[in-house]
Amino acid sequence: MIIISTIMRRTREAIVLVILAICSKAVNSKPYWWPSDKGEASGYCLSWRLAVEANNIRAWRTVPPQCSHHVESYMIAGQYQRDLNLIVDSISAYLDSLTPLSNDGFDAWILDVDDTCISNLFYYRRKRYGCEPYDPLGFRTWALKGGCPAIPDVLGLFNKLIESGFKVFLVTGRDEATLGQVTIDNLSNQGFFGYERLILRGSAYKGQSAISYKSEIRKQLVGEGYRIWGNVGDQWSDLQGDYAGNRTFKLPNPMYFIP
């Protein structure tokens, strides 16, 4: 009887271990932070967006599918605009603290182009606000239309920089050979006049990360004698690396990540 009882007990233990293993596998098939209902999804997506903007989540390829509506709401329902207003006001306050400038013409400011000066929101709306993987051909087709609208807050900042005497450099990862002229025309059509130079990615920088490419461009500008007082972009890769400038300002963009 003792032997039979022992066998039954061990059998029950084995069954429990199998059940636990199955449950563990099911739970671990998704990250521990994966939401289980709609309410949790909303909270998770808010936390995810915050982590993205703080650069705590890096090298992400797409917006989590359950966050499509969250990002859509953020971008078009007013919060993006409120965040942008606050950041641009902070940039403007910093700008005011720098004037008057020197008279040698070497006080410089750097602005990114895509989703800093001009917006690709209409394009990313068709990509479920970043839930679909990056599509180089699709984006190039969109950019070649030259229809990216200006981001009004940044256009106002741009004009203030020009009026204050800064040499403004627009530095973009767009390909110089295919998108050079259309980008010049697009910026002009949207009111960006008077910048010192538009710098696009030439063949010498093909294949480099955005951090390496933009660092090298800034190094060249400093080598020419320019003092970079400010640097504004929607990607952390716009602001990282060497010669980033005295102050960097990150604009919100939860739709894509560029390394």
Side-chain angles (χ1 to χ4, degrees):
M1 292 295 292
I2 295 175
I3 295 174
I4 295 173
S5 177
T6 301
I7 293 173
M8 291 179 64
R9 178 171 54 81
R10 289 181 177 176
T11 301
R12 285 197 300 269
E13 289 175 353
I15 292 172
V16 170
L17 288 174
V18 169
I19 292 172
L20 288 174
I22 293 171
C23 290
S24 176
K25 184 176 181 181
V27 169
N28 291 329
S29 65
K30 295 179 180 178
Y32 71 88
W33 61 83
W34 197 272
S36 59
D37 59 39
K38 198 167 186 179
E40 287 185 22
S42 176
Y44 163 71
C45 294
L46 181 61
S47 298
W48 177 85
R49 181 168 56 80
L50 175 62
V52 162
E53 292 298 349
N55 204 30
N56 290 324
I57 295 179
R58 303 178 183 181
W60 50 278
R61 296 190 61 209
T62 62
V63 171
Q66 72 271 31
C67 295
S68 174
H69 293 306
H70 172 84
V71 174
E72 177 184 15
S73 177
Y74 173 75
M75 293 301 299
I76 68 176
Q79 189 59 52
Y80 166 76
Q81 186 60 51
R82 286 188 287 271
D83 290 350
L84 195 64
N85 289 343
L86 180 64
I87 296 168
V88 172
D89 285 348
S90 298
I91 299 171
S92 185
Y94 167 67
L95 173 58
D96 291 340
S97 73
L98 299 177
T99 54
L101 302 177
S102 65
N103 295 319
D104 61 6
F106 283 94
D107 292 306
W109 200 287
I110 293 178
L111 295 176
D112 174 52
V113 174
D114 283 299
D115 294 300
T116 297
C117 291
I118 53 179
S119 173
N120 295 298
L121 181 60
F122 294 131
Y123 170 77
Y124 278 96
R125 182 174 61 185
R126 299 199 301 268
K127 298 296 182 178
R128 298 194 304 138
Y129 297 93
C131 286
E132 297 181 16
Y134 177 61
D135 174 11
L137 180 59
F139 181 79
R140 185 173 66 191
T141 301
W142 155 260
L144 282 169
K145 296 177 181 178
C148 300
I151 296 177
D153 297 77
V154 179
L155 179 57
L157 173 65
F158 170 83
N159 288 328
K160 183 173 181 176
L161 288 165
I162 299 296
E163 293 165 4
S164 299
F166 283 94
K167 302 296 184 182
V168 178
F169 293 86
L170 306 182
V171 183
T172 174
R174 287 189 175 200
D175 180 65
E176 184 175 33
T178 57
L179 296 176
Q181 189 58 53
V182 72
T183 303
I184 292 172
D185 295 340
N186 194 162
L187 288 165
S188 176
N189 292 337
Q190 293 302 311
F192 289 90
F193 304 104
Y195 53 84
E196 185 69 12
R197 202 181 309 167
L198 169 64
I199 302 174
L200 301 102
R201 188 190 288 261
S203 57
Y205 303 104
K206 191 163 288 188
Q208 286 191 5
S209 70
I211 294 176
S212 297
Y213 157 61
K214 293 198 170 186
S215 291
E216 182 59 31
I217 296 300
R218 295 191 299 263
K219 179 181 179 181
Q220 292 176 19
L221 293 177
V222 170
E224 294 174 24
Y226 287 102
R227 297 177 292 273
I228 302 173
W229 289 101
N231 183 4
V232 182
D234 68 294
Q235 298 291 311
W236 280 102
S237 53
D238 298 328
L239 313 174
Q240 294 174 322
D242 299 329
Y243 306 94
N246 285 32
R247 282 289 305 273
T248 60
F249 297 91
K250 168 74 168 64
L251 303 185
N253 183 356
M255 297 186 294
Y256 59 88
F257 178 92
I258 297 178

